[in-house]
Amino acid sequence: MQDRTYTADAEPGDTVTVAGWAHEIRDLGGIAFLIVRDTTGKIQVKFEKDEMDDDLVETGTDVNRESVVKVSGDVEEEPRAPTDVEIVPDSVEVIAAAEPELPLDPSGKVDADLSTRLDNRTLDLRKDEQKAIFEIRAEILRSVREAFRELGSTEINTPKIVATGTEGGTELFPITYFGQEAFMNQSPQLFKQLMVGSGLERVFEIGPIFRAEEHNTPRHLNEATSIDFESAFFDYEDAMDACETVVKAAYEGVAENCQAELEALGYEEFEAPSGEFPRLTYEEAIERINATGALDDQLVWGDDLPTEGETALGDDVGSHYFITDWPSEIKPFYIKDHDDDPELSTGFDLMHPSMELVSGGQREHRYDRLVEGFEQQGLDPEAFDYYTKMFKYGMPPHAGWGLGGERLVMTMLGLENIREAVLFPRDRQRLSP
Ligand code: ATP
Ligand code: MG
């Protein structure tokens, strides 16, 4: 429809054809209004019953809500209309009628539970607040891509069907690949590392990760979007700097380009984080958690941080922060240990006050140490030969990280459930739509 005008562009004096959804019909007796909604907003269409053709009035006022309509007419100024203008129609056409009963109310007047909303995402995303989340998600991805390019990295796409997982057989979804067992990849970790030894050196990938995690939480999905970065000749501090830059760029992009969407979500003010993200060592982190008194049992060196501990520390710090220098034991084997202390790893996490956003670190690039790591982990290095053998032919020191895309959207917008940040979430209960 080349001749279509967006409702937001209709100016008094114009003759336009708008097309969209019948948002609301208000019949006041002698006069009736049809509100047409499209992706840019809404416009009022006025029907004066005594003065207009009966068929025209009937078509425009008997239409079921949420039907797709096309309206042509003159735009006039009208201070009492919601957008200060209205269309006086000379034709109204119902292009696709909606049934009178809808599974959820796109005007938002009647609340629907999350499950009903996800079952009817098309209707759900006719609401400004829900649409806003995905406009913002798109802006976040645009801004991080731009930030990665400014960091001199190349976007890559690595396979999602793999013969072996990143960290062994746990949490993997098995599939059948021409009669052979294969898996959905849980992380691009090994492939992006292979690229730092290639001529590309510095890479990023935005793509799906698949995790067969059994638990059902508000912050885990079985298919998530991972924002990954890896660079040759970076140490773990360089990697943290890049991480901070990219996360801040996402906030800045939204602050600059998503005013209307933030308003739809009820924001009066939205501020990108300023100042450096504090970097706490794991040891400082457990001391601070213990000092809050939030946990029944005090944490000791070597413990992983329980969720309540992370929350208490997040409240205490009050901003994004890194946790560095984790015990080597609780970080994956491909993370390098500190040269002067093998008990300490160069692994780090970036935390939002409410949850983990990123895990990263400097990688083990020495062939012998890497193969030892596989063995210590109980993994057969032979199965990962495609990966380890490249470490024999000149693999530079390197570092990188993986950022959960949905967690970034969720924490930025204060969403209560990560499923709100995915169009069609995959979880224990949900495989369709
Ligand atoms: P968590 O401890 O919170 O389950 P993780 O440490 O297992 O996360 P990593 O393997 O470190 O996750 O993955 C890097 C990032 O990817 C995480 O910090 C998180 O933001 C995101 N992520 C990982 N697993 C999931 C998931 N199941 N659903 C959504 N995001 C995830
Ligand atoms: Mg992690």
Side-chain angles (χ1 to χ4, degrees):
M1 280 177 77
Q2 297 296 334
D3 60 341
R4 176 188 176 208
T5 301
Y6 279 129
T7 58
D9 298 334
E11 301 277 353
D14 293 350
T15 300
V16 297
T17 296
V18 298
W21 288 262
H23 183 70
E24 200 183 337
I25 298 104
R26 267 184 285 152
D27 197 331
L28 308 178
I31 193 164
F33 299 105
L34 165 67
I35 310 293
V36 177
R37 184 190 69 240
D38 67 13
T39 193
T40 66
K42 301 183 191 84
I43 197 160
Q44 171 170 299
V45 183
K46 179 172 69 178
F47 296 93
E48 284 170 310
K49 294 184 189 171
D50 293 341
E51 288 166 33
M52 288 181 180
D53 177 70
D54 287 347
D55 284 346
L56 178 77
V57 173
E58 201 182 308
T59 313
T61 55
D62 279 358
V63 60
N64 289 333
R65 281 175 50 219
E66 297 305 316
S67 298
V68 178
V69 295
K70 182 170 145 184
V71 177
S72 302
D74 295 330
V75 184
E76 293 185 357
E77 224 172 272
E78 174 49 75
R80 287 167 296 180
T83 58
D84 293 334
V85 295
E86 66 184 6
I87 298 178
V88 179
D90 22 76
S91 90
V92 176
E93 191 187 330
V94 177
I95 297 176
E99 291 189 7
E101 294 291 325
L102 299 169
L104 67 80
D105 174 18
S107 79
K109 285 180 188 140
V110 185
D111 276 342
D113 62 27
L114 184 58
S115 171
T116 307
R117 289 180 37 211
L118 295 174
D119 286 341
N120 300 281
R121 258 311 200 190
T122 308
L123 298 187
D124 185 44
L125 294 187
R126 291 181 190 174
K127 288 183 280 191
D128 287 342
E129 318 88 83
Q130 307 312 334
K131 193 180 97 173
I133 294 172
F134 292 91
E135 294 286 2
I136 290 173
R137 183 183 156 119
E139 174 58 27
I140 290 173
L141 295 179
R142 192 203 63 74
S143 322
V144 304
R145 277 201 168 87
E146 186 179 294
F148 279 128
R149 295 299 281 162
E150 278 168 16
L151 285 167
S153 46
T154 304
E155 182 160 11
I156 58 168
N157 302 98
T158 63
K160 304 306 155 202
I161 302 175
V162 293
T164 52
T166 305
E167 284 147 62
T170 56
E171 292 184 3
L172 287 170
F173 285 112
I175 59 164
T176 306
Y177 190 73
F178 301 116
Q180 184 190 336
E181 184 176 56
F183 303 94
M184 301 303 293
N185 206 4
Q186 69 191 156
S187 159
Q189 182 64 34
L190 306 185
F191 293 108
K192 67 177 178 170
Q193 282 190 262
L194 290 176
M195 288 306 100
V196 305
S198 79
L200 296 175
E201 286 196 29
R202 189 171 303 159
V203 296
F204 74 99
E205 175 164 9
I206 301 175
I209 55 170
F210 303 90
R211 304 211 172 178
E213 295 174 294
E214 302 261 338
H215 47 258
N216 212 338
T217 80
R219 58 198 173 93
H220 287 93
L221 295 160
N222 293 109
E223 177 175 348
T225 309
S226 187
I227 300 171
D228 271 89
F229 174 79
E230 201 73 25
S231 177
F233 305 105
F234 264 33
D235 64 19
Y236 73 115
E237 287 180 326
D238 299 326
M240 280 191 278
D241 291 345
C243 179
E244 189 166 333
T245 299
V246 169
V247 169
K248 284 180 175 165
Y251 274 85
E252 283 155 14
V254 171
E256 264 168 44
N257 302 317
C258 298
Q259 275 316 313
E261 289 76 13
L262 290 167
E263 258 166 53
L265 288 166
Y267 280 87
E268 274 164 24
E269 227 176 313
F270 175 88
E271 273 183 36
S274 57
E276 277 187 23
F277 296 164
R279 297 179 184 187
L280 314 185
T281 64
Y282 163 86
E283 196 170 345
E284 288 164 341
I286 57 173
E287 277 165 16
R288 274 177 83 158
I289 293 172
N290 286 340
T292 65
L295 302 181
D296 292 340
D297 296 316
Q298 297 271 292
L299 293 171
V300 294
W301 207 88
D303 288 343
D304 208 346
L305 305 187
T307 308
E308 315 85 77
E310 284 177 2
T311 314
L313 182 55
D315 288 345
D316 198 25
V317 179
S319 69
H320 288 83
Y321 63 101
F322 287 98
I323 305 178
T324 66
D325 304 280
W326 290 75
S328 304
E329 282 264 311
I330 52 177
K331 282 289 167 188
F333 64 90
Y334 52 77
I335 304 239
K336 193 168 174 288
D337 300 334
H338 279 285
D339 289 330
D340 54 359
D341 187 351
E343 301 277 288
L344 275 188
S345 89
T346 62
F348 62 82
D349 282 2
L350 174 68
M351 310 293 296
H352 177 271
S354 62
M355 74 187 75
E356 179 191 317
L357 282 183
V358 174
S359 281
Q362 197 164 326
R363 318 305 188 182
E364 182 51 75
H365 68 284
R366 295 161 298 184
Y367 177 79
D368 295 338
R369 296 285 187 94
L370 187 66
V371 171
E372 262 169 47
F374 273 100
E375 281 159 355
Q376 277 163 13
Q377 202 79 17
L379 296 170
D380 175 13
E382 283 288 300
F384 293 87
D385 185 51
Y386 72 91
Y387 166 73
T388 54
K389 77 177 180 204
M390 290 303 146
F391 287 68
K392 292 194 281 191
Y393 310 127
M395 186 60 78
H398 59 281
W401 41 264
L403 159 65
E406 287 79 13
R407 291 217 187 151
L408 180 58
V409 177
M410 176 189 188
T411 52
M412 186 184 289
L413 300 178
L415 306 177
E416 273 169 27
N417 194 317
I418 196 165
R419 291 160 183 78
E420 301 253 12
V422 200
L423 289 175
F424 300 105
R426 291 289 170 262
D427 64 25
R428 284 299 298 276
Q429 277 80 41
R430 208 162 259 288
L431 186 55
S432 171

